[in-house]
Structures are given as C-alpha cells and as structure tokens.
Amino acid sequence: MREAPPAGNPRSLYDLEPADLARLAAEAGEPCYRARQLARQLDRRKLADLDAMTDLPASFRGFLAERLAGAGLTLERHQVGDDGWTHKFLFGLGGGDSVESVLMFYPPSGAPEDWEGGRQGRATLCISTQAGCAMGCTFCATGQFGFTRNLSAGEVVEQVARVWSLLEELRPAPGAPDHLTNVVFMGMGEPFANPAGTWGAAWRLHQGFGLSARAITISTVGLVPGIDRAAREGLAVNLAVSIHAGTDEVRDRLVPLNHSWPVADLLAAVRRYVAATRRRVSFEYALIRGVNDGADQAEALGRLLAPLRVPSSGGHAAHVNLIPYNPTPGLPLEGPSKRGIQRFRELVAAHGLPVSVRANRGVGIDAACGQLRTTAGRPGRSLRPSLATGRRAAG
Ligand code: SAH
Ligand code: SF4
C-alpha cells in the first residue's frame, strides 16, 4: 500500500498554488522563473510526473520529488472496451485508496443519430471526486462501498492530466480527438459533498487547462446547498441532476437523500439555479426495469419538468437524459427492453421536453460512467499492460 503524504504536504502536484511553486523554487535555490516553468508543465503540458519534466534541471526535480513524496496518483490498471473507444483507468491514491476514471471517445458525427460526437468528435473523461460515496443510492455500485475520503482538488485534476497525456497514444481512429474535449464529474462520489475538491478542480480545469466552462459537467444526486452554490459560483459549467423518479415514493427507494431533500425541494433549488444562471439543466434518469420505468413515472416526470423554463427565452430549462441501467454484479436489477426505453422516452417527450437516451458504454469492462467500482473486476476485451505501472487485472 502506498503511504499517504506526510500531514501538511499536498496530495498532488496539482494542489500547489503559484505561491507554493515560487516558495519551492526559492527553497531549492532556483531562479523564480522555474516556478512559472513548473506551472507550465503542469497546466499547459499536463505533465503530472516530475520525471517527464525534462526541461527542468534534474537537481530541482530531485528536490521536488523529495519534498512531495507520497503525492500524486499511480495508474494501477487500464482496461479497454468498445474496440478501443472506451477506456477505464484505476488510479491509486496516497494512503491506499483508489478511484476510477472512464474515457469515452466519440467519432465525428456522420449520421444524425451520432449527435454525441458533434462535428469534430469528442473525447470525454468521467472523473471521480471521492473514494466511495456516502449517499448510498440503492442501485449504484459506488454507493454500496460506502465512503472513504474526499479527493483533494489536485487529485481530481490529476486524473484529467494523466489521461490527457495518454490520449494521443489511445486514439482508436485517426479522426478521434487528440485532446480531451469534455470532462464530466460523474465518476465515484457526490461532487457537491466535496465542494472544495469539486470547485477547486473545475476552476483549475477552466483557468489552467483551458477547458471552456461549457465543456465541464457536474452531476449531483440532488444536494440542495450544492445546487445553490453552483448558482452563485460564477463558473458556467453544465449542471446534471440525478432524478431517477417522478415521485417521492419511488425516489425514496432509490436515493436515500430524498428523505432530506424531497423532489419539491430539489425542483425549487433547480428553479433558483435556472433563474440565477439562465442555463438549462440536464436530468439524469437511470431506467431500471420494473422499478422506475412505468408509464406513471414517465407522466409524473413530464409533469414535474415541463413547467421549468429559462426566464429569458421561455424555452424548456430541463433536458432529460435517460440512462438504461447498467447491470451491477450483486444487485438484482436490469435495464428495460429497447421497446420499454422507447415507450418511456415518448411519454416524457409528449410533454414537449427534450429527451435523449445515453448509449451504454464499456459494459464489458464495468466502465459505464456512474458504475465505477474499486473491486478487481473482469477485464475488457483487451488489456494494455504497457500503460499500467502497477498490477494487471486478473482473469
Ligand atoms: N453522485 C453523482 C455523480 C456520480 S453518479 C450523482 O449521483 O449524480 C453518475 C450517474 O450515474 C448518476 O446519474 C447515477 O445515478 C448513475 N448511475 C449509477 N449507477 C448506475 C448504473 N448501474 N447504471 C446506470 N446509471 C447509473
Ligand atoms: Fe453516490 Fe451518485 Fe452513486 Fe448515489 S448515484 S451512491 S450519489 S455516486
């Protein structure tokens, strides 16, 4: 097990602020431009490993390695699914926990149904904000593991940096992007239960990595104070709300947090958010056969969300994103049939709401976003041990 950094030391190089970099350069007896050089390596070049920063003097790198011992993530496992279009990474954290990130490539759109790829194609990374999750949603693999700890903002950013620097090597086709086009906070953990890690990372990705705010999506299970903070934050990221039901009765069974923040309170917070930001909100709905896929839930959802409007344009403020449930070992749940999904979609769309169905990705490697697990899972169709610095997946 990897040691945690000593108390007071950063968990990741990405937790260092410009002032910290300047102080470290001074302590090492280096000229102050070295601090700016280091910042460039971290943000512009997305280099998370000191060894790779070959334009810094070896003596300075050695000094930093000693001072920052135990910081950073190690890539422990890398699994490939969907013929190279989906990649799952397991990152070890200092102190022994691990989190997962999932990379999904989308080809440039050709057919109209390829809307996900857009004209340029996309490379979307799904990142984790916590080791485990305390919210205990009854259908979610992460929720079953309980909560270990919050990630620091730097540990969240470092997932992005480490995958970004592998991207060129991982591209499944020449047309696929060689940089990340989107980052979604939809991996392990509840982002708004870790506001420092989440917002610290979102700002760094925007200001340091140059991702536009609109390329960043934060998904919440419905923590009302977190939604209110998002309304005030001044960074126009996309907000996704995991609703999963149209009534409290069904949502109570899926999302224990609904007992504290029931649907009416959640919707009131979303209304405040839309009023403050004039932005649309995406509502995630994991469709589970026989649990929340009935006509009654579709009708209730439609009635609930159709009145949400963007004040300036009067257009719908809610976009519904249906996610066919990804079976999770140990949980006796499954997604609806194709027809069931279609029926649900039509019933919601009949309320005038925009509805999309998210394609299931990485099913063979348990890598669908939101189904990230820390157990030694089944490997995908192929494995690239060359990229993993640690243990290979068994099997
Ligand atoms: N905690 C946040 C973000 C992480 S979960 C949240 O709950 O929104 C990301 C999304 O994946 C959520 O909408 C979650 O409900 C969904 N999800 C979790 N397990 C899933 C599964 N097995 N199949 C489909 N979606 C799932
Ligand atoms: Fe946590 Fe989201 Fe899973 Fe619920 S669905 S347990 S909030 S990660």
Side-chain angles (χ1 to χ4, degrees), residues 139 186-187 189-190 219-221 242 244 284 323 325-326 328 370-371:
F139 59 91
M186 290 192 181
E190 164 52 36
S219 174
T220 178
V221 68
S242 295
H244 307 317
E284 309 294 301
I323 319 168
Y325 183 74
N326 232 299
T328 299
Q371 200 212 351

Side-chain angles (χ1 to χ4, degrees), residues 211-223:
L211 276 174
S212 88
R214 279 158 205 254
I216 300 171
T217 300
I218 300 179
S219 174
T220 178
V221 68
L223 269 181

Side-chain angles (χ1 to χ4, degrees), residues 59-360:
S59 55
F60 186 35
R61 282 186 276 143
F63 168 87
L64 291 170
E66 214 164 281
R67 289 297 306 271
L68 303 170
L73 313 183
T74 47
L75 178 56
E76 293 187 340
R77 218 168 70 208
H78 170 210
Q79 292 173 252
V80 186
D82 300 324
D83 292 325
W85 291 82
T86 304
H87 297 256
K88 180 168 80 163
F89 305 91
L90 181 70
F91 288 113
L93 309 174
D97 298 303
S98 51
V99 293
E100 297 189 13
S101 316
V102 179
L103 169 66
M104 289 157 285
F105 285 102
Y106 299 86
S109 60
E113 63 271 21
D114 280 347
W115 62 272
E116 286 180 290
R119 252 182 307 149
Q120 310 295 329
R122 279 193 356 216
T124 297
L125 185 67
C126 177
I127 52 173
S128 297
T129 52
Q130 300 183 308
C133 183
M135 299 296 149
C137 300
T138 52
F139 59 91
C140 169
T142 307
Q144 310 309 304
F145 282 98
F147 171 73
T148 314
R149 75 164 169 88
N150 280 333
L151 267 59
S152 69
E155 287 173 314
V156 178
V157 172
E158 193 174 327
Q159 294 167 61
V160 179
R162 289 195 175 271
V163 174
W164 197 309
S165 53
L166 293 174
L167 222 64
E168 208 155 341
E169 187 182 341
L170 299 181
R171 287 161 80 196
D178 60 359
H179 62 283
L180 286 177
T181 59
N182 298 78
V183 172
V184 297
F185 290 64
M186 290 192 181
M188 293 169 77
E190 164 52 36
F192 290 160
N194 176 11
T198 295
W199 288 112
W203 278 104
R204 180 76 175 260
L205 293 176
H206 176 54
Q207 293 180 324
F209 284 28
L211 276 174
S212 88
R214 279 158 205 254
I216 300 171
T217 300
I218 300 179
S219 174
T220 178
V221 68
L223 269 181
V224 164
I227 296 172
D228 285 333
R229 172 159 177 187
R232 294 191 307 268
E233 189 66 27
L235 183 65
V237 298
N238 304 305
L239 179 69
V241 173
S242 295
I243 189 140
H244 307 317
T247 61
D248 281 322
E249 193 231 329
V250 173
R251 196 164 192 266
D252 276 346
R253 279 190 265 140
L254 297 171
V255 178
L257 187 81
N258 199 60
H259 294 288
S260 310
W261 305 109
V263 171
D265 294 7
L266 174 58
L267 262 284
V270 172
R271 270 194 296 277
R272 290 193 293 276
Y273 174 88
V274 173
T277 62
R278 299 174 181 255
R279 303 214 44 170
R280 276 167 69 171
V281 173
S282 150
F283 285 86
E284 309 294 301
Y285 197 110
L287 269 173
I288 310 170
R289 189 191 292 240
V291 175
N292 64 356
D293 65 342
D296 60 325
Q297 290 301 304
E299 288 298 342
L301 188 71
R303 278 198 303 274
L304 202 61
L305 301 184
L308 266 181
R309 300 296 168 130
V310 182
S312 46
S313 67
H316 281 287
H319 177 115
V320 178
N321 202 0
L322 301 175
I323 319 168
Y325 183 74
N326 232 299
T328 299
L331 292 177
L333 303 171
E334 54 183 354
S337 64
K338 274 213 166 102
R339 240 182 75 71
I341 297 169
Q342 205 43 40
R343 204 172 40 230
F344 195 92
R345 176 190 193 149
E346 280 161 15
L347 286 171
V348 178
H351 290 260
L353 288 160
V355 188
S356 49
V357 179
R358 198 193 292 167
N360 265 350

